[in-house]
Amino acid sequence: AGPAETKNEAAMSELVPEPRQKPVVPMKPVGINASLLGYIGIDTIIEQMRKKTMKTGFDFNIMVVGQSGLGKSTLVNTLFKSQVSRKSSGWNREEKIPKTVEIKAIGHVIEEGGVKMKLTVIDTPGFGDQINNENCWEPIEKYINEQYEKFLKEEVNIARKKRIPDTRVHCCLYFISPTGHSLRPLDLEFMKHLSKVVNIIPVIAKADTMTLEEKTEFKQRVRKELEVNGIEFYPQKEFDEDLEDKTENDKIRQESMPFAVVGSDKEYQVNGKRVLGRKTPWGIIEVENLSHCEFALLRDFVIRTHLQDLKEVTHNIHYETYRAKRLNDNGGLPPMTVETEENHESNL
């Protein structure tokens, strides 16, 4: 090889780029050890949220549905340990049974431990009390949808309120008559129609009219009938968010539902203690005693463990379903009123 060739080879070797090194892959972030770098304070967000909630308070709207004489008012009074039912708003037993289903909403503010709750009890006198009860759930379904509509209209306003008043029904207690046989066609029809729009919690009313064996058998029969008819009650299986929720809710669905309850707002002295109960010829039925009835389970479920979830399922599932359908039916927007049209034009 001549000197020219050696020169060319040297030039070529200079042109060939060196193999590039692979870029360094950044390591996954490692949890910062607070003891090394000092306390940051992220955990105070929980306290901040608690303070804010305590200032603003929150809404909870509960509906009671069932035939007359099943103790609906008494049970709600017992749940919230105060006179929150229709009895306290001038309703009396001499009044005639309404010819159609009426809707009566009574609002109260309850405060406990510095937390304010605006509780609304929605009563449905006249439900299931007629000879012909065909479609008697329609006024109830209409009322529930009207509350969604009211919320939606507020939400799509250009100048909307910072905090939209929430009148949506978060929970519907459906009272089943303690027959010990099976559900009536009316019970099945109501729950079939309404379970799609509201959280239904079935309860067996006046459970003290049955023996323990009858109660257990009736609960199993009701569960079976709801399953056969494809009726979903709260907590719905498909909304369980994780394994912990699923385990807890499966236990409720398979053992507790429907809650067999007894309500009473009368106090009695039992073994030196004041208890809520019902006096019978053979003794006092203690409302909060689990060996007497499941009232305490229902109260813990509705108020102490699932109240926030009832509100969230109402907002994220039932209201969202209504909202999507409503906007879809109107080509994406609710029908414009004259006022919103003028606003729209002035904005343009």
Side-chain angles (χ1 to χ4, degrees), residues 68 86 89-98 102 104 125:
S68 299
R86 60 186 173 185
S89 65
W91 185 86
N92 60 59
R93 302 225 172 263
E94 283 80 60
E95 275 186 35
K96 286 179 185 171
I97 289 169
E102 290 180 9
K104 293 187 177 183

Side-chain angles (χ1 to χ4, degrees), residues 77-95:
N77 284 342
T78 319
L79 262 181
F80 296 99
K81 294 199 172 170
S82 53
Q83 292 289 316
V84 293
S85 77
R86 60 186 173 185
K87 273 191 216 168
S88 56
S89 65
W91 185 86
N92 60 59
R93 302 225 172 263
E94 283 80 60
E95 275 186 35

Side-chain angles (χ1 to χ4, degrees), residues 116-312:
K116 275 189 197 142
M117 177 166 86
K118 185 174 183 284
L119 172 74
T120 303
V121 178
I122 302 122
D123 201 356
T124 54
F127 176 84
D129 294 332
Q130 312 307 318
I131 293 164
N132 178 9
N133 286 306
E134 196 180 354
N135 298 347
C136 68
W137 59 82
E138 282 180 356
I140 296 169
E141 188 171 15
K142 183 171 176 268
Y143 176 85
I144 291 166
N145 284 330
E146 277 170 359
Q147 308 320 304
Y148 292 146
E149 181 66 20
K150 207 186 280 185
F151 197 89
L152 177 63
K153 278 186 175 162
E154 283 288 349
E155 212 175 39
V156 297
N157 268 348
I158 293 166
R160 62 182 182 183
K161 293 172 183 165
K162 190 181 173 187
R163 191 163 179 260
I164 300 170
D166 192 0
T167 58
R168 298 169 299 179
V169 181
H170 300 122
C171 169
C172 171
L173 293 181
Y174 186 77
F175 286 69
I176 296 163
S177 200
T179 59
H181 303 299
S182 57
L183 290 170
R184 300 168 304 161
L186 174 63
D187 300 328
L188 292 169
E189 282 301 312
F190 176 88
M191 287 193 264
K192 205 175 277 182
H193 281 83
L194 273 289
S195 62
K196 294 178 181 75
V197 295
V198 72
N199 294 318
I200 289 181
I201 298 175
V203 294
I204 296 165
K206 300 200 166 180
D208 53 323
T209 58
M210 296 186 281
T211 65
L212 290 172
E213 290 78 19
E214 285 171 342
K215 191 163 75 181
T216 307
E217 276 177 33
F218 189 42
K219 275 168 71 91
Q220 285 171 350
R221 197 171 296 133
V222 169
R223 274 200 297 270
K224 189 79 189 143
E225 282 187 62
L226 291 173
E227 195 183 323
V228 167
N229 287 277
I231 295 165
E232 282 275 333
F233 50 82
Y234 179 84
Q236 300 91 328
K237 284 177 192 168
E238 68 263 41
F239 306 147
D240 291 342
E241 287 185 357
D242 53 35
L243 192 62
E244 191 188 339
D245 277 3
K246 189 185 181 306
T247 310
E248 187 187 337
N249 290 339
D250 273 346
K251 196 168 185 286
I252 292 161
R253 286 186 284 258
Q254 290 157 19
E255 294 173 24
S256 306
M257 290 283 184
F259 295 96
V261 295
V262 178
S264 171
D265 38 21
K266 290 191 173 68
E267 282 192 345
Y268 294 95
Q269 194 87 15
V270 176
N271 301 328
K273 272 166 60 184
R274 302 289 291 170
V275 296
L276 287 170
R278 286 193 59 207
K279 200 169 188 178
T280 66
W282 50 88
I284 288 164
I285 293 156
E286 294 171 46
V287 166
E288 298 184 73
N289 186 333
L290 277 175
S291 59
H292 291 196
C293 83
E294 293 167 352
F295 169 80
L297 287 178
L298 172 68
R299 182 208 49 216
D300 289 356
F301 176 62
V302 172
I303 299 169
R304 298 182 185 181
T305 62
H306 284 68
L307 192 144
Q308 182 58 28
D309 190 61
L310 281 161
K311 285 167 68 71
E312 282 174 14

